[in-house]
Amino acid sequence: NGLDPQGIADVRELIVKISAEGKTIILASHLLDEVQKVCTHFAVLNKGKVLYTGDVNEVLSKKEHIEIAAPDMDALLDIVKSYPYCTEITPDHQCITIRLTEDKTGYDLNQYLTSKGIVLSHLNTKRQNLEQQFLEILSQNNDQTISN
């Protein structure tokens, strides 16, 4: 906190360098974008209680979704519905947002669609950032507290 952009970059570089030497660094911060950039693991605390601990990349990859579009959106939606590795499909006017099982990627989906004669005009893989994950963890914890 309170550093200029160059100072932030310098501290980030120092943290990565020290970590590469095999040393553990504990970073307590509300700047979750920075935590996401330099940390391998994270913990969420609320009022001294540990709500969650995990690997940064692992938890973010689980929250990956893919946006796709094609000239014929109706045909695309029909084919996507038949793809057995979709866990969630959310269509809107401009694109379809989907989540896949953990073992499948946008590459796999694109190959499937191509084999069915669908050529995509848009494919974008998006990952939830650590701030969004943090808010989801807090929300889940509040829901559990309320229901207890």
Side-chain angles (χ1 to χ4, degrees):
N1 286 335
L3 296 175
D4 64 10
Q6 183 61 52
I8 291 171
D10 291 345
V11 170
R12 186 184 313 128
E13 184 179 321
L14 178 62
I15 290 170
V16 170
K17 179 182 174 195
I18 292 170
S19 177
E21 294 171 358
K23 296 182 179 152
T24 299
I25 299 166
I26 297 175
L27 173 68
S29 178
H30 290 100
L31 301 174
L32 299 179
D33 184 54
E34 288 303 318
V35 170
Q36 184 173 329
K37 288 177 182 174
V38 298
C39 295
T40 58
H41 293 76
F42 76 107
V44 176
L45 306 172
N46 188 11
K47 299 178 182 174
K49 179 182 171 189
V50 177
L51 302 181
Y52 183 89
T53 61
D55 180 286
V56 171
N57 288 327
E58 184 179 306
V59 76
L60 294 177
S61 68
K62 290 180 183 176
K63 298 296 180 177
E64 195 171 84
H65 64 272
I66 300 170
E67 294 177 347
I68 56 175
D72 186 346
M73 292 295 286
D74 292 331
L76 176 60
L77 182 58
D78 287 342
I79 299 296
V80 166
K81 286 179 179 178
S82 71
Y83 189 56
Y85 304 104
C86 285
T87 61
E88 185 179 317
I89 302 171
T90 309
D92 69 25
H93 300 293
Q94 296 179 357
C95 70
I96 299 169
T97 302
I98 63 171
R99 291 191 193 276
L100 301 174
T101 58
E102 289 182 34
D103 60 328
K104 296 298 176 186
T105 66
Y107 178 81
D108 300 312
L109 174 65
N110 194 30
Q111 277 192 315
Y112 175 79
L113 294 171
T114 301
S115 75
K116 299 293 184 183
I118 300 289
V119 177
L120 295 175
S121 58
H122 174 80
L123 186 147
N124 187 19
T125 301
K126 291 190 164 191
R127 295 174 77 184
Q128 188 174 37
N129 65 33
L130 200 55
E131 180 179 312
Q132 293 164 325
Q133 183 63 27
F134 172 82
L135 294 172
E136 188 175 303
I137 290 166
L138 286 181
S139 173
Q140 288 172 352
N141 184 66
N142 288 337
D143 291 345
Q144 290 172 1
T145 302
I146 292 169
S147 64
N148 287 340

